[in-house]
Each structure stands twice: as C-alpha cells, then as structure tokens.
PDB file of all heavy atoms in Angstrom:
ATOM      1  N   GLY A  18       0.803  -1.210   0.000  1.00  0.00           N
ATOM      2  CA  GLY A  18       0.000   0.000   0.000  1.00  0.00           C
ATOM      3  C   GLY A  18       0.834   1.258   0.000  1.00  0.00           C
ATOM      4  O   GLY A  18       2.054   1.239  -0.168  1.00  0.00           O
ATOM      5  N   ASP A  19       0.159   2.376   0.234  1.00  0.00           N
ATOM      6  CA  ASP A  19       0.758   3.700   0.161  1.00  0.00           C
ATOM      7  C   ASP A  19       0.381   4.462   1.425  1.00  0.00           C
ATOM      8  O   ASP A  19      -0.791   4.566   1.775  1.00  0.00           O
ATOM      9  CB  ASP A  19       0.228   4.427  -1.077  1.00  0.00           C
ATOM     10  CG  ASP A  19       0.858   5.798  -1.268  1.00  0.00           C
ATOM     11  OD1 ASP A  19       1.523   6.284  -0.349  1.00  0.00           O
ATOM     12  OD2 ASP A  19       0.670   6.375  -2.349  1.00  0.00           O
ATOM     13  N   CYS A  20       1.376   5.008   2.128  1.00  0.00           N
ATOM     14  CA  CYS A  20       1.094   5.723   3.372  1.00  0.00           C
ATOM     15  C   CYS A  20       0.218   6.946   3.158  1.00  0.00           C
ATOM     16  O   CYS A  20      -0.402   7.439   4.101  1.00  0.00           O
ATOM     17  CB  CYS A  20       2.394   6.133   4.057  1.00  0.00           C
ATOM     18  SG  CYS A  20       3.215   4.784   4.921  1.00  0.00           S
ATOM     19  N   ALA A  21       0.171   7.456   1.939  1.00  0.00           N
ATOM     20  CA  ALA A  21      -0.700   8.602   1.675  1.00  0.00           C
ATOM     21  C   ALA A  21      -2.170   8.202   1.753  1.00  0.00           C
ATOM     22  O   ALA A  21      -3.037   9.036   1.987  1.00  0.00           O
ATOM     23  CB  ALA A  21      -0.387   9.177   0.296  1.00  0.00           C
ATOM     24  N   LEU A  22      -2.445   6.928   1.537  1.00  0.00           N
ATOM     25  CA  LEU A  22      -3.832   6.440   1.579  1.00  0.00           C
ATOM     26  C   LEU A  22      -4.003   5.441   2.714  1.00  0.00           C
ATOM     27  O   LEU A  22      -4.587   5.729   3.737  1.00  0.00           O
ATOM     28  CB  LEU A  22      -4.189   5.805   0.231  1.00  0.00           C
ATOM     29  CG  LEU A  22      -4.102   6.733  -0.979  1.00  0.00           C
ATOM     30  CD1 LEU A  22      -4.309   5.957  -2.267  1.00  0.00           C
ATOM     31  CD2 LEU A  22      -5.150   7.841  -0.848  1.00  0.00           C
ATOM     32  N   ALA A  23      -3.488   4.240   2.543  1.00  0.00           N
ATOM     33  CA  ALA A  23      -3.571   3.203   3.567  1.00  0.00           C
ATOM     34  C   ALA A  23      -2.527   2.159   3.247  1.00  0.00           C
ATOM     35  O   ALA A  23      -2.050   2.058   2.117  1.00  0.00           O
ATOM     36  CB  ALA A  23      -4.965   2.579   3.601  1.00  0.00           C
ATOM     37  N   GLY A  24      -2.152   1.388   4.229  1.00  0.00           N
ATOM     38  CA  GLY A  24      -1.157   0.359   3.981  1.00  0.00           C
ATOM     39  C   GLY A  24      -1.042  -0.587   5.152  1.00  0.00           C
ATOM     40  O   GLY A  24      -1.612  -0.358   6.217  1.00  0.00           O
ATOM     41  N   PHE A  25      -0.317  -1.676   4.946  1.00  0.00           N
ATOM     42  CA  PHE A  25      -0.048  -2.656   5.988  1.00  0.00           C
ATOM     43  C   PHE A  25       1.458  -2.884   6.044  1.00  0.00           C
ATOM     44  O   PHE A  25       2.164  -2.731   5.048  1.00  0.00           O
ATOM     45  CB  PHE A  25      -0.754  -3.982   5.690  1.00  0.00           C
ATOM     46  CG  PHE A  25      -2.255  -3.881   5.707  1.00  0.00           C
ATOM     47  CD1 PHE A  25      -2.967  -3.658   4.537  1.00  0.00           C
ATOM     48  CD2 PHE A  25      -2.949  -3.998   6.896  1.00  0.00           C
ATOM     49  CE1 PHE A  25      -4.352  -3.556   4.538  1.00  0.00           C
ATOM     50  CE2 PHE A  25      -4.330  -3.909   6.922  1.00  0.00           C
ATOM     51  CZ  PHE A  25      -5.040  -3.680   5.740  1.00  0.00           C
ATOM     52  N   THR A  26       1.937  -3.251   7.216  1.00  0.00           N
ATOM     53  CA  THR A  26       3.335  -3.594   7.376  1.00  0.00           C
ATOM     54  C   THR A  26       3.424  -4.960   8.039  1.00  0.00           C
ATOM     55  O   THR A  26       2.618  -5.293   8.913  1.00  0.00           O
ATOM     56  CB  THR A  26       4.075  -2.543   8.227  1.00  0.00           C
ATOM     57  OG1 THR A  26       3.920  -1.261   7.626  1.00  0.00           O
ATOM     58  CG2 THR A  26       5.553  -2.850   8.317  1.00  0.00           C
ATOM     59  N   TYR A  27       4.442  -5.755   7.636  1.00  0.00           N
ATOM     60  CA  TYR A  27       4.608  -7.120   8.123  1.00  0.00           C
ATOM     61  C   TYR A  27       5.868  -7.173   8.984  1.00  0.00           C
ATOM     62  O   TYR A  27       6.936  -6.687   8.570  1.00  0.00           O
ATOM     63  CB  TYR A  27       4.695  -8.089   6.951  1.00  0.00           C
ATOM     64  CG  TYR A  27       3.657  -7.781   5.884  1.00  0.00           C
ATOM     65  CD1 TYR A  27       4.042  -7.310   4.627  1.00  0.00           C
ATOM     66  CD2 TYR A  27       2.295  -7.897   6.165  1.00  0.00           C
ATOM     67  CE1 TYR A  27       3.095  -6.986   3.666  1.00  0.00           C
ATOM     68  CE2 TYR A  27       1.346  -7.578   5.201  1.00  0.00           C
ATOM     69  CZ  TYR A  27       1.746  -7.125   3.960  1.00  0.00           C
ATOM     70  OH  TYR A  27       0.808  -6.798   3.015  1.00  0.00           O
ATOM     71  N   ILE A  28       5.735  -7.776  10.154  1.00  0.00           N
ATOM     72  CA  ILE A  28       6.767  -7.717  11.177  1.00  0.00           C
ATOM     73  C   ILE A  28       7.260  -9.113  11.545  1.00  0.00           C
ATOM     74  O   ILE A  28       6.444 -10.004  11.836  1.00  0.00           O
ATOM     75  CB  ILE A  28       6.223  -7.030  12.458  1.00  0.00           C
ATOM     76  CG1 ILE A  28       5.562  -5.683  12.119  1.00  0.00           C
ATOM     77  CG2 ILE A  28       7.315  -6.882  13.499  1.00  0.00           C
ATOM     78  CD1 ILE A  28       6.491  -4.652  11.525  1.00  0.00           C
ATOM     79  N   GLN A  29       8.567  -9.294  11.562  1.00  0.00           N
ATOM     80  CA  GLN A  29       9.148 -10.536  12.057  1.00  0.00           C
ATOM     81  C   GLN A  29       9.170 -10.481  13.583  1.00  0.00           C
ATOM     82  O   GLN A  29       9.809  -9.611  14.173  1.00  0.00           O
ATOM     83  CB  GLN A  29      10.571 -10.695  11.531  1.00  0.00           C
ATOM     84  CG  GLN A  29      11.335 -11.861  12.120  1.00  0.00           C
ATOM     85  CD  GLN A  29      10.792 -13.209  11.674  1.00  0.00           C
ATOM     86  OE1 GLN A  29      10.740 -13.500  10.488  1.00  0.00           O
ATOM     87  NE2 GLN A  29      10.376 -14.025  12.645  1.00  0.00           N
ATOM     88  N   PRO A  30       8.446 -11.383  14.272  1.00  0.00           N
ATOM     89  CA  PRO A  30       8.382 -11.331  15.744  1.00  0.00           C
ATOM     90  C   PRO A  30       9.764 -11.442  16.391  1.00  0.00           C
ATOM     91  O   PRO A  30      10.619 -12.213  15.952  1.00  0.00           O
ATOM     92  CB  PRO A  30       7.501 -12.528  16.110  1.00  0.00           C
ATOM     93  CG  PRO A  30       6.664 -12.760  14.892  1.00  0.00           C
ATOM     94  CD  PRO A  30       7.574 -12.441  13.734  1.00  0.00           C
ATOM     95  N   ILE A  31       9.961 -10.686  17.453  1.00  0.00           N
ATOM     96  CA  ILE A  31      11.279 -10.595  18.070  1.00  0.00           C
ATOM     97  C   ILE A  31      11.680 -11.859  18.805  1.00  0.00           C
ATOM     98  O   ILE A  31      12.858 -12.218  18.853  1.00  0.00           O
ATOM     99  CB  ILE A  31      11.339  -9.371  19.016  1.00  0.00           C
ATOM    100  CG1 ILE A  31      12.785  -9.130  19.453  1.00  0.00           C
ATOM    101  CG2 ILE A  31      10.410  -9.557  20.214  1.00  0.00           C
ATOM    102  CD1 ILE A  31      12.980  -7.812  20.165  1.00  0.00           C
ATOM    103  N   ARG A  32      10.722 -12.577  19.387  1.00  0.00           N
ATOM    104  CA  ARG A  32      11.087 -13.741  20.186  1.00  0.00           C
ATOM    105  C   ARG A  32      11.789 -14.806  19.341  1.00  0.00           C
ATOM    106  O   ARG A  32      12.724 -15.461  19.813  1.00  0.00           O
ATOM    107  CB  ARG A  32       9.845 -14.323  20.853  1.00  0.00           C
ATOM    108  CG  ARG A  32       9.230 -13.406  21.911  1.00  0.00           C
ATOM    109  CD  ARG A  32       8.032 -14.042  22.559  1.00  0.00           C
ATOM    110  NE  ARG A  32       7.411 -13.163  23.535  1.00  0.00           N
ATOM    111  CZ  ARG A  32       6.331 -13.470  24.249  1.00  0.00           C
ATOM    112  NH1 ARG A  32       5.768 -14.663  24.077  1.00  0.00           N
ATOM    113  NH2 ARG A  32       5.838 -12.622  25.116  1.00  0.00           N
ATOM    114  N   GLU A  33      11.326 -14.994  18.118  1.00  0.00           N
ATOM    115  CA  GLU A  33      11.957 -15.969  17.238  1.00  0.00           C
ATOM    116  C   GLU A  33      13.405 -15.595  16.927  1.00  0.00           C
ATOM    117  O   GLU A  33      14.273 -16.460  16.816  1.00  0.00           O
ATOM    118  CB  GLU A  33      11.160 -16.107  15.934  1.00  0.00           C
ATOM    119  CG  GLU A  33       9.879 -16.912  16.064  1.00  0.00           C
ATOM    120  CD  GLU A  33       8.715 -16.096  16.607  1.00  0.00           C
ATOM    121  OE1 GLU A  33       8.958 -14.987  17.143  1.00  0.00           O
ATOM    122  OE2 GLU A  33       7.578 -16.561  16.509  1.00  0.00           O
ATOM    123  N   ILE A  34      13.665 -14.298  16.786  1.00  0.00           N
ATOM    124  CA  ILE A  34      15.020 -13.843  16.475  1.00  0.00           C
ATOM    125  C   ILE A  34      15.951 -14.100  17.659  1.00  0.00           C
ATOM    126  O   ILE A  34      17.048 -14.645  17.505  1.00  0.00           O
ATOM    127  CB  ILE A  34      15.028 -12.345  16.119  1.00  0.00           C
ATOM    128  CG1 ILE A  34      13.948 -12.011  15.081  1.00  0.00           C
ATOM    129  CG2 ILE A  34      16.403 -11.921  15.613  1.00  0.00           C
ATOM    130  CD1 ILE A  34      13.809 -10.526  14.804  1.00  0.00           C
ATOM    131  N   LEU A  35      15.513 -13.695  18.845  1.00  0.00           N
ATOM    132  CA  LEU A  35      16.337 -13.873  20.036  1.00  0.00           C
ATOM    133  C   LEU A  35      16.641 -15.349  20.268  1.00  0.00           C
ATOM    134  O   LEU A  35      17.767 -15.727  20.609  1.00  0.00           O
ATOM    135  CB  LEU A  35      15.636 -13.281  21.254  1.00  0.00           C
ATOM    136  CG  LEU A  35      15.316 -11.777  21.192  1.00  0.00           C
ATOM    137  CD1 LEU A  35      14.567 -11.349  22.444  1.00  0.00           C
ATOM    138  CD2 LEU A  35      16.578 -10.946  21.015  1.00  0.00           C
ATOM    139  N   SER A  36      15.634 -16.191  20.066  1.00  0.00           N
ATOM    140  CA  SER A  36      15.804 -17.623  20.294  1.00  0.00           C
ATOM    141  C   SER A  36      16.733 -18.248  19.251  1.00  0.00           C
ATOM    142  O   SER A  36      17.604 -19.064  19.577  1.00  0.00           O
ATOM    143  CB  SER A  36      14.450 -18.322  20.260  1.00  0.00           C
ATOM    144  OG  SER A  36      14.581 -19.713  20.384  1.00  0.00           O
ATOM    145  N   ALA A  37      16.565 -17.859  17.991  1.00  0.00           N
ATOM    146  CA  ALA A  37      17.341 -18.469  16.914  1.00  0.00           C
ATOM    147  C   ALA A  37      18.836 -18.224  17.075  1.00  0.00           C
ATOM    148  O   ALA A  37      19.661 -19.101  16.786  1.00  0.00           O
ATOM    149  CB  ALA A  37      16.864 -17.941  15.562  1.00  0.00           C
ATOM    150  N   TYR A  38      19.212 -17.036  17.547  1.00  0.00           N
ATOM    151  CA  TYR A  38      20.628 -16.681  17.624  1.00  0.00           C
ATOM    152  C   TYR A  38      21.144 -16.592  19.062  1.00  0.00           C
ATOM    153  O   TYR A  38      22.263 -16.133  19.289  1.00  0.00           O
ATOM    154  CB  TYR A  38      20.870 -15.350  16.912  1.00  0.00           C
ATOM    155  CG  TYR A  38      20.536 -15.356  15.438  1.00  0.00           C
ATOM    156  CD1 TYR A  38      19.928 -14.261  14.827  1.00  0.00           C
ATOM    157  CD2 TYR A  38      20.812 -16.464  14.642  1.00  0.00           C
ATOM    158  CE1 TYR A  38      19.618 -14.255  13.479  1.00  0.00           C
ATOM    159  CE2 TYR A  38      20.513 -16.483  13.293  1.00  0.00           C
ATOM    160  CZ  TYR A  38      19.913 -15.380  12.714  1.00  0.00           C
ATOM    161  OH  TYR A  38      19.602 -15.385  11.369  1.00  0.00           O
ATOM    162  N   ASP A  39      20.327 -16.998  20.031  1.00  0.00           N
ATOM    163  CA  ASP A  39      20.719 -16.965  21.441  1.00  0.00           C
ATOM    164  C   ASP A  39      21.139 -15.559  21.856  1.00  0.00           C
ATOM    165  O   ASP A  39      22.200 -15.343  22.455  1.00  0.00           O
ATOM    166  CB  ASP A  39      21.842 -17.971  21.707  1.00  0.00           C
ATOM    167  CG  ASP A  39      22.060 -18.220  23.199  1.00  0.00           C
ATOM    168  OD1 ASP A  39      21.114 -18.005  23.975  1.00  0.00           O
ATOM    169  OD2 ASP A  39      23.177 -18.625  23.579  1.00  0.00           O
ATOM    170  N   LEU A  40      20.282 -14.592  21.546  1.00  0.00           N
ATOM    171  CA  LEU A  40      20.561 -13.195  21.840  1.00  0.00           C
ATOM    172  C   LEU A  40      19.760 -12.732  23.057  1.00  0.00           C
ATOM    173  O   LEU A  40      18.737 -13.313  23.409  1.00  0.00           O
ATOM    174  CB  LEU A  40      20.191 -12.323  20.636  1.00  0.00           C
ATOM    175  CG  LEU A  40      20.882 -12.645  19.317  1.00  0.00           C
ATOM    176  CD1 LEU A  40      20.234 -11.855  18.179  1.00  0.00           C
ATOM    177  CD2 LEU A  40      22.372 -12.342  19.405  1.00  0.00           C
ATOM    178  N   THR A  41      20.229 -11.659  23.675  1.00  0.00           N
ATOM    179  CA  THR A  41      19.521 -11.040  24.789  1.00  0.00           C
ATOM    180  C   THR A  41      19.138  -9.617  24.414  1.00  0.00           C
ATOM    181  O   THR A  41      20.002  -8.827  23.988  1.00  0.00           O
ATOM    182  CB  THR A  41      20.395 -11.005  26.054  1.00  0.00           C
ATOM    183  OG1 THR A  41      20.725 -12.353  26.436  1.00  0.00           O
ATOM    184  CG2 THR A  41      19.653 -10.334  27.211  1.00  0.00           C
ATOM    185  N   LEU A  42      17.874  -9.288  24.532  1.00  0.00           N
ATOM    186  CA  LEU A  42      17.397  -7.939  24.231  1.00  0.00           C
ATOM    187  C   LEU A  42      17.890  -6.970  25.292  1.00  0.00           C
ATOM    188  O   LEU A  42      17.782  -7.236  26.492  1.00  0.00           O
ATOM    189  CB  LEU A  42      15.869  -7.928  24.190  1.00  0.00           C
ATOM    190  CG  LEU A  42      15.190  -6.583  23.962  1.00  0.00           C
ATOM    191  CD1 LEU A  42      15.442  -6.089  22.540  1.00  0.00           C
ATOM    192  CD2 LEU A  42      13.685  -6.703  24.222  1.00  0.00           C
ATOM    193  N   MET A  43      18.433  -5.831  24.876  1.00  0.00           N
ATOM    194  CA  MET A  43      18.838  -4.790  25.815  1.00  0.00           C
ATOM    195  C   MET A  43      17.591  -4.023  26.246  1.00  0.00           C
ATOM    196  O   MET A  43      16.829  -3.536  25.397  1.00  0.00           O
ATOM    197  CB  MET A  43      19.851  -3.838  25.181  1.00  0.00           C
ATOM    198  CG  MET A  43      21.185  -4.485  24.864  1.00  0.00           C
ATOM    199  SD  MET A  43      22.418  -3.317  24.182  1.00  0.00           S
ATOM    200  CE  MET A  43      22.714  -2.278  25.610  1.00  0.00           C
ATOM    201  N   VAL A  44      17.378  -3.932  27.561  1.00  0.00           N
ATOM    202  CA  VAL A  44      16.197  -3.251  28.083  1.00  0.00           C
ATOM    203  C   VAL A  44      16.581  -2.172  29.078  1.00  0.00           C
ATOM    204  O   VAL A  44      17.565  -2.298  29.798  1.00  0.00           O
ATOM    205  CB  VAL A  44      15.215  -4.243  28.738  1.00  0.00           C
ATOM    206  CG1 VAL A  44      14.642  -5.193  27.706  1.00  0.00           C
ATOM    207  CG2 VAL A  44      15.884  -5.014  29.864  1.00  0.00           C
ATOM    208  N   ASN A  45      15.803  -1.116  29.108  1.00  0.00           N
ATOM    209  CA  ASN A  45      15.989   0.100  29.919  1.00  0.00           C
ATOM    210  C   ASN A  45      17.439   0.540  29.961  1.00  0.00           C
ATOM    211  O   ASN A  45      18.262   0.105  29.162  1.00  0.00           O
ATOM    212  CB  ASN A  45      15.366  -0.045  31.316  1.00  0.00           C
ATOM    213  CG  ASN A  45      15.972  -1.149  32.148  1.00  0.00           C
ATOM    214  OD1 ASN A  45      17.137  -1.106  32.484  1.00  0.00           O
ATOM    215  ND2 ASN A  45      15.170  -2.145  32.472  1.00  0.00           N
ATOM    216  N   ASP A  46      17.750   1.429  30.899  1.00  0.00           N
ATOM    217  CA  ASP A  46      19.110   1.968  30.949  1.00  0.00           C
ATOM    218  C   ASP A  46      19.669   1.850  32.359  1.00  0.00           C
ATOM    219  O   ASP A  46      20.413   2.698  32.807  1.00  0.00           O
ATOM    220  CB  ASP A  46      19.133   3.424  30.489  1.00  0.00           C
ATOM    221  CG  ASP A  46      18.177   4.290  31.294  1.00  0.00           C
ATOM    222  OD1 ASP A  46      17.440   3.740  32.139  1.00  0.00           O
ATOM    223  OD2 ASP A  46      18.166   5.510  31.083  1.00  0.00           O
ATOM    224  N   VAL A  47      19.285   0.806  33.059  1.00  0.00           N
ATOM    225  CA  VAL A  47      19.736   0.616  34.427  1.00  0.00           C
ATOM    226  C   VAL A  47      20.648  -0.593  34.492  1.00  0.00           C
ATOM    227  O   VAL A  47      20.341  -1.636  33.926  1.00  0.00           O
ATOM    228  CB  VAL A  47      18.536   0.412  35.384  1.00  0.00           C
ATOM    229  CG1 VAL A  47      19.020   0.230  36.815  1.00  0.00           C
ATOM    230  CG2 VAL A  47      17.596   1.600  35.287  1.00  0.00           C
ATOM    231  N   GLU A  48      21.757  -0.503  35.152  1.00  0.00           N
ATOM    232  CA  GLU A  48      22.687  -1.622  35.281  1.00  0.00           C
ATOM    233  C   GLU A  48      22.262  -2.486  36.455  1.00  0.00           C
ATOM    234  O   GLU A  48      22.277  -2.050  37.603  1.00  0.00           O
ATOM    235  CB  GLU A  48      24.107  -1.106  35.517  1.00  0.00           C
ATOM    236  CG  GLU A  48      25.165  -2.181  35.570  1.00  0.00           C
ATOM    237  CD  GLU A  48      25.366  -2.868  34.232  1.00  0.00           C
ATOM    238  OE1 GLU A  48      25.102  -2.227  33.198  1.00  0.00           O
ATOM    239  OE2 GLU A  48      25.781  -4.036  34.235  1.00  0.00           O
ATOM    240  N   PRO A  49      21.825  -3.736  36.214  1.00  0.00           N
ATOM    241  CA  PRO A  49      21.360  -4.579  37.305  1.00  0.00           C
ATOM    242  C   PRO A  49      22.513  -5.187  38.090  1.00  0.00           C
ATOM    243  O   PRO A  49      23.623  -5.318  37.598  1.00  0.00           O
ATOM    244  CB  PRO A  49      20.577  -5.670  36.577  1.00  0.00           C
ATOM    245  CG  PRO A  49      21.270  -5.795  35.271  1.00  0.00           C
ATOM    246  CD  PRO A  49      21.724  -4.394  34.919  1.00  0.00           C
ATOM    247  N   ILE A  50      22.220  -5.569  39.335  1.00  0.00           N
ATOM    248  CA  ILE A  50      23.161  -6.349  40.111  1.00  0.00           C
ATOM    249  C   ILE A  50      22.442  -7.594  40.596  1.00  0.00           C
ATOM    250  O   ILE A  50      21.230  -7.610  40.774  1.00  0.00           O
ATOM    251  CB  ILE A  50      23.718  -5.560  41.314  1.00  0.00           C
ATOM    252  CG1 ILE A  50      22.577  -5.148  42.271  1.00  0.00           C
ATOM    253  CG2 ILE A  50      24.491  -4.346  40.874  1.00  0.00           C
ATOM    254  CD1 ILE A  50      23.073  -4.517  43.546  1.00  0.00           C
ATOM    255  N   ALA A  51      23.171  -8.679  40.781  1.00  0.00           N
ATOM    256  CA  ALA A  51      22.558  -9.936  41.204  1.00  0.00           C
ATOM    257  C   ALA A  51      22.444  -9.969  42.715  1.00  0.00           C
ATOM    258  O   ALA A  51      23.321  -9.493  43.436  1.00  0.00           O
ATOM    259  CB  ALA A  51      23.397 -11.114  40.733  1.00  0.00           C
ATOM    260  N   THR A  52      21.363 -10.530  43.244  1.00  0.00           N
ATOM    261  CA  THR A  52      21.190 -10.698  44.676  1.00  0.00           C
ATOM    262  C   THR A  52      21.662 -12.089  45.063  1.00  0.00           C
ATOM    263  O   THR A  52      22.182 -12.841  44.252  1.00  0.00           O
ATOM    264  CB  THR A  52      19.717 -10.530  45.067  1.00  0.00           C
ATOM    265  OG1 THR A  52      18.996 -11.671  44.586  1.00  0.00           O
ATOM    266  CG2 THR A  52      19.124  -9.279  44.450  1.00  0.00           C
ATOM    267  N   ALA A  53      21.441 -12.450  46.318  1.00  0.00           N
ATOM    268  CA  ALA A  53      21.903 -13.747  46.805  1.00  0.00           C
ATOM    269  C   ALA A  53      21.091 -14.899  46.245  1.00  0.00           C
ATOM    270  O   ALA A  53      21.399 -16.052  46.494  1.00  0.00           O
ATOM    271  CB  ALA A  53      21.834 -13.764  48.328  1.00  0.00           C
ATOM    272  N   GLY A  54      20.031 -14.623  45.476  1.00  0.00           N
ATOM    273  CA  GLY A  54      19.267 -15.696  44.852  1.00  0.00           C
ATOM    274  C   GLY A  54      17.909 -15.951  45.452  1.00  0.00           C
ATOM    275  O   GLY A  54      17.230 -16.898  45.059  1.00  0.00           O
ATOM    276  N   THR A  55      17.488 -15.131  46.421  1.00  0.00           N
ATOM    277  CA  THR A  55      16.155 -15.274  47.012  1.00  0.00           C
ATOM    278  C   THR A  55      15.577 -13.892  47.231  1.00  0.00           C
ATOM    279  O   THR A  55      16.249 -12.870  47.085  1.00  0.00           O
ATOM    280  CB  THR A  55      16.205 -16.012  48.365  1.00  0.00           C
ATOM    281  OG1 THR A  55      16.782 -15.141  49.340  1.00  0.00           O
ATOM    282  CG2 THR A  55      17.031 -17.283  48.272  1.00  0.00           C
ATOM    283  N   CYS A  56      14.284 -13.844  47.625  1.00  0.00           N
ATOM    284  CA  CYS A  56      13.628 -12.569  47.911  1.00  0.00           C
ATOM    285  C   CYS A  56      14.189 -11.899  49.166  1.00  0.00           C
ATOM    286  O   CYS A  56      13.853 -10.746  49.448  1.00  0.00           O
ATOM    287  CB  CYS A  56      12.120 -12.777  48.080  1.00  0.00           C
ATOM    288  SG  CYS A  56      11.269 -13.299  46.574  1.00  0.00           S
ATOM    289  N   GLN A  57      15.031 -12.591  49.920  1.00  0.00           N
ATOM    290  CA  GLN A  57      15.540 -12.049  51.182  1.00  0.00           C
ATOM    291  C   GLN A  57      16.409 -10.812  50.968  1.00  0.00           C
ATOM    292  O   GLN A  57      16.664 -10.071  51.911  1.00  0.00           O
ATOM    293  CB  GLN A  57      16.336 -13.121  51.919  1.00  0.00           C
ATOM    294  CG  GLN A  57      15.532 -14.357  52.302  1.00  0.00           C
ATOM    295  CD  GLN A  57      14.371 -14.039  53.222  1.00  0.00           C
ATOM    296  OE1 GLN A  57      14.448 -13.141  54.052  1.00  0.00           O
ATOM    297  NE2 GLN A  57      13.271 -14.779  53.056  1.00  0.00           N
ATOM    298  N   ALA A  58      16.876 -10.580  49.736  1.00  0.00           N
ATOM    299  CA  ALA A  58      17.733  -9.416  49.483  1.00  0.00           C
ATOM    300  C   ALA A  58      16.931  -8.122  49.361  1.00  0.00           C
ATOM    301  O   ALA A  58      17.514  -7.042  49.342  1.00  0.00           O
ATOM    302  CB  ALA A  58      18.562  -9.636  48.226  1.00  0.00           C
ATOM    303  N   TYR A  59      15.606  -8.216  49.267  1.00  0.00           N
ATOM    304  CA  TYR A  59      14.776  -7.020  49.123  1.00  0.00           C
ATOM    305  C   TYR A  59      14.619  -6.312  50.467  1.00  0.00           C
ATOM    306  O   TYR A  59      14.729  -6.932  51.525  1.00  0.00           O
ATOM    307  CB  TYR A  59      13.417  -7.383  48.546  1.00  0.00           C
ATOM    308  CG  TYR A  59      13.454  -7.698  47.060  1.00  0.00           C
ATOM    309  CD1 TYR A  59      14.019  -8.881  46.592  1.00  0.00           C
ATOM    310  CD2 TYR A  59      12.945  -6.795  46.134  1.00  0.00           C
ATOM    311  CE1 TYR A  59      14.076  -9.167  45.240  1.00  0.00           C
ATOM    312  CE2 TYR A  59      12.987  -7.073  44.773  1.00  0.00           C
ATOM    313  CZ  TYR A  59      13.559  -8.262  44.338  1.00  0.00           C
ATOM    314  OH  TYR A  59      13.617  -8.531  42.997  1.00  0.00           O
ATOM    315  N   ARG A  60      14.339  -5.011  50.407  1.00  0.00           N
ATOM    316  CA  ARG A  60      14.296  -4.203  51.628  1.00  0.00           C
ATOM    317  C   ARG A  60      13.181  -4.634  52.565  1.00  0.00           C
ATOM    318  O   ARG A  60      13.360  -4.711  53.777  1.00  0.00           O
ATOM    319  CB  ARG A  60      14.122  -2.723  51.265  1.00  0.00           C
ATOM    320  CG  ARG A  60      14.076  -1.796  52.471  1.00  0.00           C
ATOM    321  CD  ARG A  60      13.965  -0.342  52.033  1.00  0.00           C
ATOM    322  NE  ARG A  60      14.003   0.545  53.181  1.00  0.00           N
ATOM    323  CZ  ARG A  60      12.928   0.897  53.866  1.00  0.00           C
ATOM    324  NH1 ARG A  60      11.746   0.442  53.506  1.00  0.00           N
ATOM    325  NH2 ARG A  60      13.028   1.711  54.908  1.00  0.00           N
ATOM    326  N   THR A  61      11.981  -4.902  52.012  1.00  0.00           N
ATOM    327  CA  THR A  61      10.834  -5.299  52.831  1.00  0.00           C
ATOM    328  C   THR A  61      10.508  -6.759  52.558  1.00  0.00           C
ATOM    329  O   THR A  61      10.332  -7.154  51.404  1.00  0.00           O
ATOM    330  CB  THR A  61       9.609  -4.428  52.521  1.00  0.00           C
ATOM    331  OG1 THR A  61       9.940  -3.057  52.760  1.00  0.00           O
ATOM    332  CG2 THR A  61       8.425  -4.828  53.395  1.00  0.00           C
ATOM    333  N   ILE A  62      10.407  -7.568  53.588  1.00  0.00           N
ATOM    334  CA  ILE A  62      10.113  -8.993  53.471  1.00  0.00           C
ATOM    335  C   ILE A  62       8.849  -9.302  54.271  1.00  0.00           C
ATOM    336  O   ILE A  62       8.727  -8.900  55.434  1.00  0.00           O
ATOM    337  CB  ILE A  62      11.273  -9.862  54.004  1.00  0.00           C
ATOM    338  CG1 ILE A  62      12.563  -9.554  53.240  1.00  0.00           C
ATOM    339  CG2 ILE A  62      10.917 -11.338  53.918  1.00  0.00           C
ATOM    340  CD1 ILE A  62      12.516  -9.937  51.783  1.00  0.00           C
TER     341      ILE A  62
END
C-alpha cells in the first residue's frame, strides 16, 4: 500500500530472532546487580 492512503506492514516477531541466535534484548538503561538468589535481598520482606 501507500502511506498517503492506507497500507499494511509485516513484522518478524522478536522472540523468534532472540531464540534463533541466542541473543539477549537490551532493556531500559539501568545496570542490574545480582542478589543472593532469594527474595531475602529485598528491603521489605
């Protein structure tokens, strides 16, 4: 189609891409740190 009138776009789903190449999507802009492995590391329990 034509954006001046109407059109459709076809999208390759992201999950298939990440899985096929063993990739990790970059999300937000915060650097995470690992906890001890349980909820006990959170401030309120």
Side-chain angles (χ1 to χ4, degrees):
D19 183 348
C20 283
L22 300 173
F25 295 94
T26 303
Y27 316 112
I28 309 297
Q29 173 69 58
I31 191 169
R32 293 181 182 180
E33 284 82 345
I34 311 174
L35 300 177
S36 176
Y38 298 141
D39 194 24
L40 302 170
T41 299
L42 177 69
M43 294 183 68
V44 295
N45 62 64
D46 56 355
V47 181
E48 184 67 27
I50 61 173
T52 71
T55 72
C56 294
Q57 298 300 326
Y59 285 72
R60 180 177 183 272
T61 302
I62 302 294

